[in-house]
Amino acid sequence: LLHHSTYKRKPAKKTKKAVVFFEVEILDAKTKDKLCFLDKKICFLFVSDPQWYPARQSIRLDPKGKSLKDEDVLQHLPVGTTATFYFRDLGAQISWVTVFLTEYTGPLVIYLLFYFRVPFIYPPKYDFTTSKHWVVHLACMCHSFHYVKRLLETLFVHRFSHGTMPLRNIFKNCTYYWGFAAWMAYYINHPLYTPPIYGEQQIRIALIIFLFCQIGNFSIHIALRNLRPPGSKTRKIPYPTKNPFTWIFLLVSCPNYTYELGSWLGFTLMTQCLPVAFFTLVGFIQMTVWAKGKHRSYLKEFRDYPPLRSPILPFIL
């Protein structure tokens, strides 16, 4: 904002050389203390201060309002020739890629420790033994596939509109993913684990649901990726493509969450394990919050947004 804001602007007609001067001050959003006045030299010092590197800076028109975008230009903002902006320190930041790689690697490794029954998890006589139930091995393959897919998507598919998030999020996210992975893996790989009540038929149906939703989730991520050119923050309305897995866009704003929910419902049916069901429920609640927020954002930003779409579940939610 400060880098792009100029202190004079020229009218569209080159024949008239009018100059408009802006007076802008930056205040601390919490204390209202003046941090700087819009003098070119002072403000460049403010922006380049190592204590407030760009990723942790938030400049707002209102102390409790939303942060201005990096591409916002002073002349285009709803301010007069005298304006007051508010600065908020967002705290230490970390890249989204680093957070995703960390939170997804943990469950992959943790689950395998339980699967191979390394010492100090189960009684010593079970160290490095394997389960006699084939569903346990299938569950390990599905769980590993899911998180390997997430890691590869983070590296090669996802394009993030924001480069960073608060550092504290990595601890919260890892606690959630790593903790649930350990809880689920402990019971699924336990020597006393019993297979689903309806046997192979239940397992096969669950596997079909899981794989179908995994392919669907990947298809949606590819479709969303193709909406945003590399290095761009452009937002567009997502529409179905030739891929049948994307046709759910006709009814849902965030089908990636719909397919994610379906995957974990399939995994729950496959393992018939209570911790997995609880993880699915908690994940559904969180994804519903995200989907509703994204849905509201679409409606606010695009006047022609399809009215039949629901946030996450067609016609329901």
Side-chain angles (χ1 to χ4, degrees), residues 80-149:
T81 56
T82 301
T84 300
F85 293 95
Y86 297 89
F87 167 81
R88 183 179 291 273
D89 180 11
L90 298 177
Q93 299 288 299
I94 187 171
S95 72
W96 280 81
V97 172
T98 301
V99 173
F100 278 14
L101 292 179
T102 305
E103 68 186 33
Y104 296 155
T105 301
L108 179 63
V109 174
I110 290 172
Y111 194 100
L112 291 176
L113 293 177
F114 286 88
Y115 174 74
F116 289 113
R117 296 177 178 171
V118 299
F120 308 111
I121 295 179
Y122 303 113
K125 65 178 180 179
Y126 296 112
D127 290 351
F128 297 110
T129 59
T130 58
S131 175
K132 62 181 179 181
H133 304 298
W134 71 280
V135 66
V136 172
H137 308 296
L138 178 63
C140 180
M141 288 188 286
C142 289
H143 189 274
S144 299
F145 173 81
H146 175 75
Y147 282 101
V148 168
K149 166 182 165 294

Side-chain angles (χ1 to χ4, degrees), residues 8-271:
K8 59 181 180 180
R9 61 183 179 187
K10 298 179 180 180
K13 296 181 179 180
K14 295 183 179 180
T15 55
K16 296 182 180 180
K17 295 184 178 181
V19 178
V20 179
F21 291 93
F22 291 95
E23 293 182 358
V24 177
E25 61 180 359
I26 308 293
L27 306 184
D28 188 290
K30 293 182 179 180
T31 65
K32 305 300 186 295
D33 293 336
K34 182 182 290 188
L35 297 176
C36 80
F37 189 77
L38 192 55
D39 173 85
K40 187 173 182 180
K41 184 182 297 184
I42 295 177
C43 281
F44 270 100
L45 288 173
F46 174 74
V47 172
S48 61
D49 189 323
Q51 179 184 354
W52 294 314
Y53 49 89
R56 66 185 292 172
Q57 294 181 36
S58 171
I59 304 295
R60 313 170 183 205
L61 289 173
D62 182 86
K64 297 182 180 180
K66 293 184 178 181
S67 300
L68 296 174
K69 299 177 182 179
D70 292 341
E71 58 269 23
D72 285 337
V73 180
L74 183 59
Q75 292 95 322
H76 301 157
L77 296 176
V79 297
T81 56
T82 301
T84 300
F85 293 95
Y86 297 89
F87 167 81
R88 183 179 291 273
D89 180 11
L90 298 177
Q93 299 288 299
I94 187 171
S95 72
W96 280 81
V97 172
T98 301
V99 173
F100 278 14
L101 292 179
T102 305
E103 68 186 33
Y104 296 155
T105 301
L108 179 63
V109 174
I110 290 172
Y111 194 100
L112 291 176
L113 293 177
F114 286 88
Y115 174 74
F116 289 113
R117 296 177 178 171
V118 299
F120 308 111
I121 295 179
Y122 303 113
K125 65 178 180 179
Y126 296 112
D127 290 351
F128 297 110
T129 59
T130 58
S131 175
K132 62 181 179 181
H133 304 298
W134 71 280
V135 66
V136 172
H137 308 296
L138 178 63
C140 180
M141 288 188 286
C142 289
H143 189 274
S144 299
F145 173 81
H146 175 75
Y147 282 101
V148 168
K149 166 182 165 294
R150 283 195 171 191
L151 290 169
L152 293 176
E153 287 176 338
T154 299
L155 292 172
F156 304 110
V157 177
H158 293 321
R159 289 174 178 164
F160 302 100
S161 57
H162 299 286
T164 64
M165 68 168 70
L167 178 62
R168 63 181 178 274
N169 283 11
I170 194 171
F171 302 104
K172 178 179 63 177
N173 292 14
C174 288
T175 299
Y176 171 77
Y177 283 104
W178 296 17
F180 265 115
W183 191 26
M184 293 187 296
Y186 176 82
Y187 285 99
I188 295 173
N189 297 287
H190 197 284
L192 301 180
Y193 170 80
T194 55
I197 189 172
Y198 294 106
E200 292 188 6
Q201 184 177 4
Q202 179 176 335
I203 297 170
R204 289 195 177 96
I205 293 174
L207 178 61
I208 292 172
I209 294 173
F210 178 83
L211 293 177
F212 178 87
C213 291
Q214 286 289 286
I215 296 172
N217 180 264
F218 177 74
S219 300
I220 298 301
H221 286 162
I222 292 296
L224 293 175
R225 179 184 187 273
N226 292 336
L227 284 179
R228 178 175 294 161
S232 170
K233 294 185 179 181
T234 303
R235 284 169 54 87
K236 301 178 182 178
I237 299 177
Y239 286 103
T241 66
K242 295 180 179 180
N243 183 343
F245 285 96
T246 67
W247 295 352
I248 192 175
F249 268 126
L250 294 171
L251 302 174
V252 173
S253 293
C254 301
N256 51 321
Y257 296 146
T258 310
Y259 282 124
E260 182 77 7
L261 172 63
S263 294
W264 286 108
L265 286 174
F267 195 70
T268 301
L269 184 65
M270 178 189 301
T271 58

